[in-house]
Amino acid sequence: MSIKLGIIGGGQLAWMMADAANKLGVELIVQTPSPNDPAVSIAQDSIFAAVDDAAATEILATKCDIITFENEFVNLTALSLLEKQGVCFRPQLSALAPLLDKYEQRCYLRDLDLPVPQFLALSEEKNLESQIENLGFPVVLKTRRHGYDGQGTFIIPDFLTLSKIVNQRHTPFLVEEFVPFTKELAIIAARSVNGEIVIYPAVETLQEEQVCRWVIAPAKITKEQSLEIETIADKLLNSLQYVGVFGIELFLTAEGKILINEIAPRTHNSGHFSLDACETSQFEQHLRAVCGLALTNTRLHCGSAVMVNLLGYETSQSDYQKQRQQLANIPQATVHWYGKTEARPGRKLGHITVLLEQDNRNAVKNIIHKIESIWYPPAKSCQNFPE
Ligand code: ADP
């Protein structure tokens, strides 16, 4: 008998579960706001409602055996009533609870003795200047909830800019030290119902204006650094008793220090390379974990891989056929197009992964350059290449 899996969220992360769901005989039912959302086309059934609409999730629960998340911006208080009534959420809600507020997430990591940047929660009652006096500028200001793809994250050069933003938006903020990182890294890990853990190779990522532009697998880091990151993933997954796939974004400093930037309790953009480059993709691994199946191999089956996001650079209803065809003609490339009905600046419309036989940074640099020059108008091309 096939497992019926409910997914809260119907964007590209749920859409990319389709092949693995077919392979494993899992039926997908999504809760997502719009019939135009990418995963509606691959789901057996859909409920059109916001991801934080717990009444809709109650209906979803009647249609499936297990519920998982593509989007974590849910109403945990309302969902916990359903969990108490026996609805099976994987990951279970107690594993999500410490992660949804960026300040609480930082506190959770710090209390586990994991390395994080210096941080504090801004209080509206206290004097702003005295609260941040130990940090020094620039600082990074983040809305505590609902931030993604850089929305709600601000790099702040001086006090005037800080007070302007804080006074304009009456929302809870986290402030942290600006980390002068040399590289951003990420890792995808999964934990099964039985507590088995598998970890993908760490990757290098590049963010421009706080949005991921490209990812290279594997990261060029030392064995000790890889091990340190794997130990972080292990400790976190076990401490949360987490079930499913989980992404961790990290900073690497010039001194070789590793700091955690953020945890994403779901499949993650930094793991998209695994669809084409690994023996088991992060999407299959997630389905395996939440459906109670054994986890499988996370190895790369090529020397290295480069994943470039195809980000919107204009408002348009074009499906960009011509550019997509040119991209598909790149040797060893696979283009994943999410089928969104409208392009907007910064919106993730698709991605492309190119496999390489060897880990050759010059070749990687040329591929990123080629993809960017096919996809973007000249002024929007990426200026940052891997070293
Ligand atoms: P989001 O949750 O919107 O993805 P993040 O907190 O991950 O936001 O931040 C997005 C990007 O902003 C990061 O990938 C990094 O490039 C930059 N950033 C975030 N925090 C810091 C920091 N403390 N120091 C330096 N850069 C940062």
Side-chain angles (χ1 to χ4, degrees):
M1 210 181 63
S2 72
I3 295 178
K4 291 187 167 58
L5 179 68
I7 307 179
I8 301 187
Q12 64 265 20
L13 299 178
W15 177 76
M16 283 184 264
M17 289 176 189
D19 286 348
N22 277 339
K23 174 176 162 189
L24 301 173
V26 175
E27 277 185 40
L28 303 180
I29 302 149
V30 297
Q31 171 181 337
T32 196
S34 160
N36 293 329
D37 290 339
V40 173
S41 64
I42 55 96
Q44 263 75 22
D45 195 359
S46 304
I47 295 172
F48 299 117
V51 295
D52 62 356
D53 182 340
T57 307
E58 192 168 1
I59 299 170
L60 179 68
T62 63
K63 295 172 180 273
C64 54
D65 308 307
I66 300 162
I67 295 180
T68 190
F69 306 88
E70 180 230 41
N71 181 316
E72 65 275 27
F73 301 145
V74 292
N75 179 345
L76 273 191
T77 316
L79 293 191
S80 47
L81 296 177
L82 298 180
E83 194 173 53
K84 279 201 191 98
Q85 289 160 18
V87 174
C88 177
F89 290 102
R90 284 189 184 149
Q92 79 281 18
L93 302 182
S94 59
L96 293 185
L99 304 179
L100 302 194
D101 174 309
K102 288 191 184 202
Y103 174 70
E104 287 169 11
Q105 187 184 109
R106 283 259 179 277
C107 293
Y108 186 83
L109 299 172
R110 179 200 56 200
D111 295 347
L112 274 179
D113 260 340
L114 292 174
V116 287
Q118 232 188 301
F119 69 98
L120 56 97
L122 275 191
S123 155
E124 286 203 52
E125 274 91 65
K126 291 191 200 149
N127 173 282
L128 184 58
E129 202 159 10
S130 62
Q131 290 184 71
I132 54 133
E133 67 189 1
N134 289 335
L135 290 181
F137 285 97
V139 292
V140 183
L141 182 70
K142 298 181 177 182
T143 52
R144 287 175 54 169
R145 284 187 173 266
H146 295 168
Y148 73 100
D149 284 350
Q151 317 235 359
T153 294
F154 310 89
I155 315 278
I156 307 278
D158 51 37
F159 185 72
L160 199 66
T161 318
L162 178 70
S163 57
K164 230 184 191 167
I165 299 182
V166 171
N167 292 327
Q168 263 166 12
R169 308 180 170 216
H170 292 280
T171 181
F173 277 115
L174 158 76
V175 189
E176 59 189 33
E177 68 173 304
F178 176 85
V179 179
F181 55 81
T182 50
K183 269 182 192 169
E184 287 194 73
L185 306 172
I187 199 160
I188 300 288
R191 186 172 175 278
S192 74
V193 173
N194 300 331
E196 175 197 4
I197 290 178
V198 294
I199 304 182
Y200 285 83
V203 298
E204 279 171 48
T205 70
L206 181 105
Q207 274 59 232
E208 266 193 4
E209 292 172 358
Q210 284 93 49
V211 182
C212 176
R213 199 83 182 204
W214 50 252
V215 171
I216 303 169
K220 242 191 198 160
I221 51 176
T222 64
K223 271 215 173 81
E224 290 73 27
Q225 287 163 343
S226 275
L227 206 66
E228 193 181 332
I229 295 173
E230 285 174 17
T231 309
I232 290 173
D234 224 65
K235 192 168 182 181
L236 257 169
L237 286 166
N238 280 329
S239 126
L240 291 164
Q241 293 286 294
Y242 190 87
V243 173
V245 157
F246 181 108
I248 310 177
E249 297 171 32
L250 309 117
F251 300 127
L252 178 66
T253 69
E255 300 77 42
K257 208 166 132 190
I258 286 166
L259 296 168
I260 302 175
N261 174 29
E262 188 169 43
I263 311 297
R266 51 174 162 75
T267 56
H268 191 253
N269 195 177
S270 63
H272 289 0
F273 72 95
S274 64
L275 268 176
D276 303 299
C278 293
E279 291 178 18
T280 313
S281 76
Q282 64 164 343
F283 302 99
E284 176 172 343
Q285 212 70 265
H286 185 71
L287 293 186
R288 287 182 163 277
V290 301
C291 293
L293 304 171
L295 303 183
T296 50
N297 206 313
T298 54
R299 262 197 307 263
L300 281 170
H301 58 61
C302 50
S304 66
V306 49
M307 188 289 309
V308 180
N309 276 331
L310 304 176
L311 301 173
Y313 51 82
E314 60 180 359
T315 302
S316 160
Q317 261 138 38
S318 168
D319 63 1
Y320 300 96
Q321 264 300 342
K322 203 169 134 214
Q323 280 136 292
R324 280 159 58 194
Q325 191 51 55
Q326 278 178 279
L327 291 170
N329 290 341
I330 296 175
Q332 298 296 316
T334 310
V335 177
H336 299 263
W337 186 251
Y338 308 150
K340 295 184 182 176
T341 47
E342 187 172 83
R344 289 193 295 272
R347 194 172 193 206
K348 289 173 179 163
L349 302 176
H351 74 265
I352 169 170
T353 305
V354 180
L355 309 185
L356 287 95
E357 269 169 38
Q358 285 167 1
D359 190 356
N360 174 335
R361 282 300 148 111
N362 252 340
V364 165
K365 196 168 157 173
N366 289 338
I367 287 169
I368 295 174
H369 192 66
K370 181 162 187 176
I371 293 171
E372 294 253 335
S373 57
I374 293 173
W375 177 249
Y376 295 101
K380 312 256 171 158
S381 244
C382 186
Q383 302 308 318
N384 293 297
F385 294 105
E387 314 246 306

